[in-house]
Amino acid sequence: MGSGGRMDCCGQCVKYSMFVANFIIFIGGAIVFGLGVFTLVDKNFVNELLGTNLFSGAVYVLIATSALVCLLSFFGCMGAAKEYKCMLLTYFILVFLIFVTMLIGGILGYVFREKVSQTMGDEMRSSMSLYGGRRSITQAWDTTQERLKCCGVESFNDWRGDIPRSCCQQTLDGYKPCNESPSKENIHTNGCLHIASNYIRDNAAIIGGSGIAVAVLLVFGMIFSCSLFRMIE
């Protein structure tokens, strides 16, 4: 049993099924890779307020493994086309390892959803005292309040009267802080904890779900590669 033997109709069906499966796996891997990169770039402004590296860690895992999935799907197509048993066996082993890694990354994304509210709330409260003194914290708070249209943890009262300009719904003449206005109607009334935690949880669900979905697709790649390995004579 080596490489390149003739196969019956069933074998040819498995062979072309593996082509199709790997093409779908490539598309899925590319989608997860794009979502991961977009998440790191677009959601980077809240990293300082999360209080945990679990979310970014899970995203990094999925980005790395999804990139490998895209390369490996091409490797699987070549193994099916050339009917090399050694290549198919290597493909199966690598896909299995990536399957486990991607499944863990997807599960971490869902686990993070359950921890985000508590860890983020504690981190946000402790970081408020560093606002204006530490640049990264100041930028994180300002960007979060401006983009999510919120103020403070539960409300603008958390700032104890020293309300940042990023809490303003619109810039006042002379760039005065919101609390110097005769009326506080221009201050974002919603606290950032609820909005930001839901914002992150929704994205964690998308990233985690897509990672698990691709992991499920990899099962089909393993099944077809194993079947084709046994059929090659």
Side-chain angles (χ1 to χ4, degrees):
M1 297 178 70
S3 63
R6 291 187 176 182
M7 292 184 293
D8 56 15
C9 181
C10 182
Q12 292 295 327
C13 181
V14 172
K15 178 178 178 178
Y16 291 118
S17 295
M18 186 171 176
F19 271 108
V20 174
N22 275 281
F23 177 75
I24 296 175
I25 290 172
F26 174 83
I27 297 297
I31 291 174
V32 174
F33 181 83
L35 285 173
V37 173
F38 173 78
T39 299
L40 284 181
V41 173
D42 189 59
K43 315 303 180 293
N44 187 59
F45 64 92
V46 294
N47 279 348
E48 288 286 343
L49 306 181
L50 288 179
T52 176
N53 293 323
L54 183 58
F55 180 60
S56 58
V59 174
Y60 278 120
V61 167
L62 290 177
I63 288 177
T65 52
S66 61
L68 290 175
V69 163
C70 292
L71 294 175
L72 198 57
S73 60
F74 175 77
F75 187 73
C77 289
M78 291 297 296
K82 299 296 183 179
E83 299 179 14
Y84 288 151
K85 299 190 69 173
C86 181
M87 188 175 289
L88 288 171
L89 180 60
T90 303
Y91 170 84
F92 177 86
I93 294 173
L94 293 176
V95 166
F96 177 75
L97 294 175
I98 291 177
F99 164 77
V100 174
T101 304
M102 209 151 199
L103 189 61
I104 291 174
I107 292 174
L108 282 176
Y110 275 104
V111 170
F112 175 81
R113 294 179 72 246
E114 304 304 320
K115 295 185 62 178
V116 62
S117 295
Q118 179 180 353
T119 57
M120 194 171 190
D122 294 341
E123 185 67 17
M124 290 175 77
R125 291 184 181 91
S126 63
S127 65
M128 293 186 79
S129 60
L130 301 176
Y131 182 87
R134 183 181 298 179
R135 183 177 180 182
S136 59
I137 295 294
T138 303
Q139 289 180 339
W141 266 110
D142 285 341
T143 307
T144 298
Q145 292 181 146
E146 289 171 356
R147 292 190 59 172
L148 302 185
K149 301 186 184 304
C150 58
C151 185
V153 182
E154 300 293 343
S155 71
F156 64 87
N157 292 320
D158 295 323
W159 290 108
R160 302 182 184 279
D162 190 15
I163 302 174
R165 190 185 307 161
S166 55
C167 282
C168 300
Q169 295 183 19
Q170 58 184 3
T171 304
L172 301 177
D173 294 338
Y175 300 100
K176 297 179 180 179
C178 297
N179 60 342
E180 291 186 10
S181 172
S183 172
K184 294 184 178 180
E185 294 179 355
N186 66 314
I187 298 177
H188 297 303
T189 56
N190 294 322
C192 293
L193 176 59
H194 179 70
I195 297 176
S197 60
N198 285 341
Y199 181 74
I200 294 297
R201 289 181 64 175
D202 291 343
N203 284 277
I206 294 173
I207 292 294
S210 60
I212 292 174
V214 172
V216 172
L217 291 175
L218 291 176
V219 174
F220 290 97
M222 288 188 286
I223 292 173
F224 288 130
S225 64
C226 185
S227 300
L228 190 59
F229 177 87
R230 298 181 63 182
M231 290 179 178
I232 294 176
E233 298 178 355

